[in-house]
Amino acid sequence: ICELEVMAWVPRSSLPPPPPSNGPLACLSAQSGNTQSYDTIFQQPLGPDKTIVFQVKASNDAHVGFFSATQDTGEVYEIVLSGWGNTRSAIRESNQGANQADVQTPQLLSGAEFRPFWATANNGLVVVGTGSVVGQGEFMRWQDPVAHLPMFVGVMSGWGSTGEWTMCHSGWDGAVIG
């Protein structure tokens, strides 16, 4: 008697995140304190692609929030980079809400050097990756079954850490790169 086992690779559901729209990225800088609150919400609205490329220098707990038009912390896609003592990262559908995605990311951040990332929150699909090329280095994603529309992005740190940020988006006015 022969036994046959068939194994197949099944791609992730949903398409990869969209690339930033054509044109250069404009960048804005910010600092976040050991405050556990969103010290900065950039007041330039996100364009249609809802994609950011950024660098952060923080020893742990660097949070990025994709806020709706009301800028309410109850309706924000919150990305936690290297929380829990620089060991885990998560995606939440509200500030300090339940983790919808949770992955081990030991030493993802550094308090001594900037680390590059990208993130998108489009049509309820929240995707995060390392590096500055959107779509490459993905390490976390979550699809919100009841999507809200992100209009602004904010930054926060805390739990013993401060942060320095450079946040870039193709629809902003600011220092232009690329």
Side-chain angles (χ1 to χ4, degrees):
I1 296 179
C2 292
E3 184 176 312
L4 176 65
E5 182 177 346
V6 177
M7 301 175 79
W9 176 79
V10 179
R12 290 180 172 219
S13 62
S14 303
L15 297 173
S21 61
N22 292 334
L25 294 175
C27 300
L28 302 171
S29 297
Q31 293 188 354
S32 55
N34 185 14
T35 61
Q36 300 177 21
S37 64
Y38 282 92
D39 297 318
T40 300
I41 298 177
F42 297 99
Q43 293 305 300
Q44 293 194 39
L46 293 169
D49 68 8
K50 311 299 182 202
T51 301
I52 55 172
V53 176
F54 63 98
Q55 294 184 71
V56 61
K57 179 167 53 170
S59 58
N60 57 275
D61 284 281
H63 294 221
V64 175
F66 282 91
F67 287 86
S68 68
T70 64
Q71 299 182 15
D72 184 345
T73 58
E75 187 178 68
V76 58
Y77 293 127
E78 183 172 58
I79 297 167
V80 180
L81 298 174
S82 277
W84 301 272
N86 204 7
T87 63
R88 291 176 20 211
S89 296
I91 298 172
R92 302 169 172 159
E93 64 181 318
S94 64
N95 179 232
Q96 297 301 309
N99 294 347
Q100 302 299 324
D102 188 339
V103 297
Q104 297 292 319
T105 55
Q107 305 303 309
L108 183 67
L109 292 180
S110 169
E113 66 182 21
F114 281 91
R115 301 275 172 93
F117 298 92
W118 58 266
T120 186
N122 203 344
N123 296 318
L125 178 61
V126 183
V127 186
V128 186
T130 57
S132 57
V133 178
V134 176
Q136 293 183 8
E138 177 186 326
F139 67 91
M140 190 168 52
R141 76 168 42 210
W142 173 65
Q143 176 68 58
D144 184 354
V146 183
H148 65 263
L149 179 63
M151 292 299 296
F152 300 97
V153 66
V155 295
M156 169 174 80
S157 51
W159 297 271
S161 179
T162 60
E164 294 179 49
W165 303 81
T166 301
M167 191 74 55
C168 304
H169 177 64
S170 61
W172 286 345
D173 295 325
V176 175
I177 63 169

